[in-house]
């Protein structure tokens, strides 16, 4: 608010969000070029980002279904953010000799939005006059945002009210002259790609999500209790976050399948299933068989996508970097699925 933009932010109605103010400042300072005191920082920022909102539509179509849906939501969100901000940008015309439409273009705002979204640190601040009621929790910290992510390190990060500094303390040891990492959080690769634009190989938190339609794909359509079973899963929060991980199918996924595989005579036992009790050997075996079929389907789908990625890379050199990102994600998920199918096979053997 102490910058040249402060007066414009303060008088604009409705009050701009802290995010809009930060994005506006970035675009304005980047436009200032050598005249900006923030030039050294701006020059080390990426010229382009690889968040899904920046990917070409044909590349987005190659993403796993859950991530593809969230990528499209992200694109819609940023487009709406730009549209709703254009009048505010127009109010800044007295500050610039060039037309603000050329300065605050969609491309410029997209770059600023990605800069904030991928590099901001969490800071809980009191609401400041001139800003909207939207939570003011993000801040850019030059130099700090040069630290890369590793899922294998532990850090404590927070703003110290006494020293008035943002402090990061590592709990993990590091050797002299080695790169120091921080951890953005226990995020799976789809979340990392969505929010930060990269994939972490051998990420212990990586997983493959199973959607509702895939959950019931291999179940008998003649099951008259299927709708009721789905309703129970939804009511008890067992229809989302169903995954395959490095340790095989998650407990949540197997529990959901066990409930869905209950025979008519076992249906009254559904509460016991949710509590983790074994109902019958038949139920255990059937649920494992269904999990294996789902896993095989994902393996076939992933291999098909990887072949398609390789084909497009040979044809369109301009998309190689974006396609490599998808290739890395899909390859990591293929490894998870291959590990899961082996674990499931071992579990199935116990029932043969």
């Amino acid at each position: 608010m102490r910058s040249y933009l402060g007066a414009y932010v303060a008088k604009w109605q409705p009050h701009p969000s802290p995010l809009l103010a930060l994005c506006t400042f970035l675009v304005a300072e980047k436009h200032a070029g050598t005249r900006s005191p923030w030039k050294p920082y701006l020059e080390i920022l990426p010229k382009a980002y690889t968040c899904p909102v920046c990917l070409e539509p044909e590349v987005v179509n190659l993403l796993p279904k859950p991530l593809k849906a969230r990528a499209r939501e992200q694109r819609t969100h940023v487009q709406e953010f730009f549209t709703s901000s254009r009048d505010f940008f127009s109010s800044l015309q007295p500050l610039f000799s060039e037309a603000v439409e050329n300065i605050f273009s969609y491309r410029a705002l997209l770059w600023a939005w990605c800069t904030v979204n991928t590099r901001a640190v969490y800071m809980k601040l009191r609401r400041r006059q001139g800003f909207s009621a939207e939570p003011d929790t993000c801040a850019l910290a030059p130099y700090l945002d040069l630290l890369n992510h590793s899922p294998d390190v532990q850090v404590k990060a927070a703003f110290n009210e006494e020293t008035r500094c943002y402090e990061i303390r590592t709990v993990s040891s590091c050797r002299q002259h080695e790169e120091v990492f921080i951890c953005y959080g226990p995020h799976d690769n789809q979340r990392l790609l969505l929010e930060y634009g990269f994939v972490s190989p051998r990420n212990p938190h990586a997983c493959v999500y199973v959607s509702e339609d895939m959950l019931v794909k291999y179940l008998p359509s003649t099951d008259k209790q299927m709708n009721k079973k789905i309703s129970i899963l939804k009511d008890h929060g067992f229809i989302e976050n169903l995954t395959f991980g490095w340790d095989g199918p998650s407990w949540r996924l197997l529990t959901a399948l066990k409930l869905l595989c209950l025979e008519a005579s076992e249906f009254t036992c559904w509460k016991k299933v949710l509590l983790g009790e074994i109902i019958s050997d038949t139920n255990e075996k059937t649920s494992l068989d269904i999990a294996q079929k789902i896993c095989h389907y994902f393996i076939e789908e992933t291999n098909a996508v990887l072949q398609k990625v390789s084909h497009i890379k040979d044809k369109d050199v301009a998309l190689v970097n974006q396609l490599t990102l998808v290739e890395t994600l899909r390859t990591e998920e293929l490894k998870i699925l291959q590990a899961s199918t082996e674990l499931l096979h071992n579990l199935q053997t116990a029932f043969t």
Side-chain angles (χ1 to χ4, degrees):
M1 294 296 285
R2 292 193 296 268
S3 75
Y4 55 91
L5 293 171
Y8 291 86
V9 172
K11 70 181 180 181
W12 185 255
Q13 294 292 337
H15 291 311
S17 67
L19 173 62
L20 175 57
L22 195 50
C23 288
T24 303
F25 183 77
L26 282 171
V27 173
E29 289 299 307
K30 188 178 183 182
H31 175 72
T34 56
R35 293 177 286 111
S36 171
W38 293 97
K39 181 176 179 289
Y41 173 62
L42 294 171
E43 285 186 335
I44 65 171
L45 293 175
K47 301 295 185 290
Y49 289 91
T50 50
C51 300
V53 68
C54 301
L55 302 182
E56 293 298 322
E58 63 185 293
V59 177
V60 172
N61 283 334
L62 298 170
L63 296 173
K65 186 177 179 180
L67 181 56
K68 189 190 307 182
R70 295 178 71 185
R72 288 169 177 164
E73 289 173 3
Q74 187 182 70
R75 184 181 295 273
T76 299
H77 170 73
V78 176
Q79 289 173 338
E80 291 176 349
F81 180 53
F82 172 68
T83 301
S84 64
S85 304
R86 295 177 77 172
D87 287 344
F88 171 66
F89 296 149
S90 295
S91 74
L92 304 177
Q93 186 62 69
L95 295 172
F96 305 96
S97 57
E98 186 178 341
V100 290
E101 292 82 3
N102 297 331
I103 300 171
F104 294 93
S105 62
Y106 175 75
R107 184 176 180 180
L109 184 67
L110 176 61
W111 171 84
W113 184 90
C114 288
T115 297
V116 175
N117 197 60
T118 61
R119 309 178 83 82
V121 295
Y122 179 86
M123 283 184 62
K124 192 170 184 178
L125 303 172
R126 289 177 295 179
R127 183 183 173 188
R128 289 174 289 176
Q129 189 174 1
F131 286 130
S132 68
E134 183 178 314
D136 187 0
T137 57
C138 62
L140 288 174
Y143 182 71
L144 182 155
D145 62 11
L146 294 177
L147 292 167
N148 287 321
H149 165 82
S150 170
D152 301 319
V153 302
Q154 290 181 304
V155 297
K156 294 180 179 179
F159 184 76
N160 189 321
E161 292 290 350
E162 294 183 4
T163 63
R164 303 302 296 169
C165 294
Y166 194 91
E167 298 177 356
I168 298 179
R169 298 180 182 273
T170 179
V171 181
S172 307
S173 60
C174 54
R175 296 178 181 176
Q176 187 177 13
H177 305 306
E178 280 191 345
E179 181 178 0
V180 178
F181 292 93
I182 59 174
C183 182
Y184 298 172
H187 303 317
D188 61 70
N189 279 335
Q190 292 194 22
R191 173 76 181 277
L192 288 175
L193 180 52
L194 182 72
E195 301 294 348
Y196 303 104
F198 69 88
V199 172
S200 179
R202 294 299 302 179
N203 179 1
H205 309 293
C207 60
V208 177
Y209 287 92
V210 179
S211 59
E212 181 182 339
D213 59 337
M214 184 55 61
L215 193 64
V216 300
K217 182 179 178 65
Y218 296 103
L219 293 169
S221 58
T222 55
D223 188 345
K224 296 179 180 179
Q225 295 168 319
M226 186 56 65
N227 289 338
K228 179 61 177 176
K229 291 175 180 177
I230 294 293
S231 179
I232 290 172
L233 290 177
K234 288 181 177 179
D235 291 344
H236 291 80
F238 272 85
I239 207 71
E240 295 181 343
N241 294 323
L242 309 177
T243 60
F244 289 101
W246 293 109
D247 296 327
S250 66
W251 179 82
R252 288 175 56 83
L253 174 56
L254 286 179
T255 299
L257 287 174
K258 288 175 186 179
L259 193 149
L260 292 171
C261 291
L262 286 173
E263 296 181 357
S265 60
E266 300 173 327
F267 184 61
T268 55
C269 299
W270 66 264
K271 288 184 180 179
K272 292 183 179 181
V273 174
L274 296 182
L275 292 173
E277 295 186 29
I278 295 176
I279 304 305
S280 67
D281 284 353
T282 300
N283 180 260
E284 293 288 309
K285 182 180 184 304
T286 304
S287 59
L288 290 174
D289 290 345
I290 298 296
Q292 187 70 280
K293 288 179 180 179
I294 295 173
C295 194
H296 283 162
Y297 174 88
F298 278 140
I299 289 174
E300 291 179 5
E301 179 197 48
T302 303
N303 278 321
V305 171
L306 285 171
Q307 289 181 0
K308 191 172 183 179
V309 167
S310 179
H311 179 67
I312 299 175
K313 285 174 77 173
D314 291 338
K315 283 197 316 178
D316 198 335
V317 178
L319 294 178
V320 166
N321 289 339
Q322 293 187 13
L323 290 167
T324 299
L325 193 61
V326 175
E327 189 174 48
T328 304
L329 174 66
R330 289 287 194 168
T331 300
E332 287 297 302
E333 294 196 348
L334 181 60
K335 293 175 183 176
I336 290 172
L337 293 166
Q338 290 169 336
S340 293
T341 193
E342 185 175 344
L343 286 163
L344 281 166
H345 174 72
N346 293 337
L347 290 172
Q348 287 173 301
T349 302
F351 291 96
T352 57

